[in-house]
Amino acid sequence: MSHQKLLTKLEGFRSRNSQNHCYINKDVYRLLYDRDFYYIAYNSIKSNDGAETAGSDGTSLHGFCEEWIDELISSFRDESYQPQPNRITYIPKKNGKMRKLSFPNGKDKLVQECVHIILECIYEPTFSNLSHGFRPNRSVHSALAQVETWRSTVWFIEGDISACFDEIDHRILESILRERIHDERFIRLINKLLKAGYFDMEHKFHSTKQGNAQGSCASPILANIYLDKLDRFMEEVIERDTMGKHRRQNPEYARL
């Protein structure tokens, strides 16, 4: 029954933000005082790839227990919670470059998933319908299915954001979050997660002054919150530049 009470609270955030895309969310941080939240978070990610991969302190979700919940709630009440630095590894990309993956420890995975669940309730109802990356029930396949419904499309813009996760500006991300979340304790928690740092493969510590660690449960939703500004800008460009019977000529392009 207590699980249901928490789920009702979370659904309330989703409903209010769905009805009003400018809704100001308050008193979010207190959700982290609910013991049931950690069971929900654990069940959400326990089967994920890497769920039992150890972090820098050697722990993983395999060690989940009541004591973890007690310690986390206590640390959130006095804001003493401090995530441990991530452990990293590198995997090859299709273009021959390497992608840096981060592995948080067990407790931090739980916290990141709690943050992810909260942020998804707030932002998922307001993201562009044209956005398909890192979203529930969306993928490359859903994007292609949507494109197939388009008619009379005569131009496309193809782009790639270089090192997107690695280059995210923490100050800009925080300012975007503050537009709709008026809860400084929750903002400070996200800031701690972003700045946790990492140990490289030689166990040398590195601070993180920018970027959003790939491998964190919260990183995909944070990236989407950041990139939603770009989605909205491109929608304005499409609406502006496809009006009328003739394509508008840009004098900058004419010289190319």
Side-chain angles (χ1 to χ4, degrees):
M1 182 63 69
S2 53
H3 266 57
Q4 188 57 48
K5 185 176 179 181
L6 174 60
L7 292 173
T8 300
K9 286 182 181 180
L10 292 168
E11 188 55 39
F13 280 101
R14 186 183 297 273
S15 177
R16 290 188 290 273
N17 284 278
S18 180
Q19 294 170 16
N20 177 5
H21 289 193
C22 297
Y23 182 79
I24 302 300
N25 298 268
K26 301 178 181 180
D27 206 21
V28 177
Y29 188 82
R30 289 179 61 84
L31 291 169
L32 297 166
Y33 298 168
D34 193 318
R35 301 182 64 83
D36 289 315
F37 206 170
Y38 302 93
Y39 291 106
I40 291 172
Y42 174 74
N43 287 323
S44 176
I45 59 175
K46 66 181 181 180
S47 300
N48 289 1
D49 291 340
E52 294 193 1
T53 303
S56 60
D57 66 356
T59 67
S60 71
L61 280 184
H62 183 69
F64 176 68
C65 60
E66 291 277 343
E67 287 74 15
W68 281 15
I69 299 176
D70 294 335
E71 291 170 8
L72 285 171
I73 293 177
S74 177
S75 67
F76 287 135
R77 288 187 182 278
D78 63 10
E79 286 196 82
S80 63
Y81 168 76
Q82 183 60 51
Q84 295 298 304
N86 296 315
R87 180 176 65 84
I88 68 160
T89 190
Y90 291 89
I91 61 172
K93 298 169 66 174
K94 291 182 179 180
N95 61 8
K97 296 181 179 180
M98 302 296 285
R99 174 179 284 115
K100 182 173 69 178
L101 285 184
S102 299
F103 298 106
N105 69 14
K107 288 181 187 176
D108 294 337
K109 280 189 177 81
L110 278 180
V111 175
Q112 291 167 8
E113 179 60 15
C114 289
V115 169
H116 163 250
I117 291 170
I118 293 170
L119 291 176
E120 189 172 277
C121 288
I122 293 172
Y123 288 95
E124 179 61 29
T126 71
F127 284 148
S128 168
N129 190 46
L130 298 174
S131 170
H132 291 264
F134 304 117
R135 295 184 63 189
N137 304 314
R138 290 181 178 236
S139 64
V140 171
H141 301 293
S142 63
L144 290 173
Q146 187 176 59
V147 170
E148 288 177 350
T149 67
W150 296 354
R151 296 292 181 268
S152 305
T153 300
V154 296
W155 59 274
F156 287 86
I157 296 176
E158 180 180 3
D160 185 18
I161 302 174
S162 177
C164 175
F165 279 77
D166 295 335
E167 300 295 333
I168 285 178
D169 187 302
H170 293 172
R171 289 174 298 178
I172 293 175
L173 177 56
E174 285 179 35
S175 69
I176 294 172
L177 291 168
R178 284 193 176 96
E179 290 175 3
R180 293 178 51 201
I181 299 176
H182 287 190
D183 187 332
E184 283 303 307
R185 291 190 299 174
F186 190 65
I187 299 295
R188 286 196 292 270
L189 172 59
I190 292 176
N191 188 52
K192 286 181 179 181
L193 295 175
L194 290 170
K195 298 187 183 304
Y198 64 91
F199 288 109
D200 63 23
M201 299 179 73
E202 297 178 350
H203 210 67
K204 180 180 179 182
F205 175 76
H206 298 263
S207 61
T208 45
K209 297 180 180 179
Q210 65 179 22
N212 179 24
Q214 292 191 67
S216 161
C217 301
S219 64
I221 185 74
L222 287 171
N224 276 346
I225 292 168
Y226 196 86
L227 293 174
D228 184 60
K229 294 291 186 181
L230 175 61
D231 291 340
R232 299 304 180 182
F233 171 75
M234 292 308 302
E235 287 179 348
E236 291 175 5
V237 170
I238 292 169
E239 183 176 357
R240 183 192 68 205
D241 289 1
T242 56
M243 294 177 64
K245 297 181 179 179
H246 303 284
R247 181 166 61 90
R248 193 169 87 172
Q249 298 295 321
N250 188 320
E252 293 295 323
Y253 297 154
R255 292 199 297 267
L256 297 178

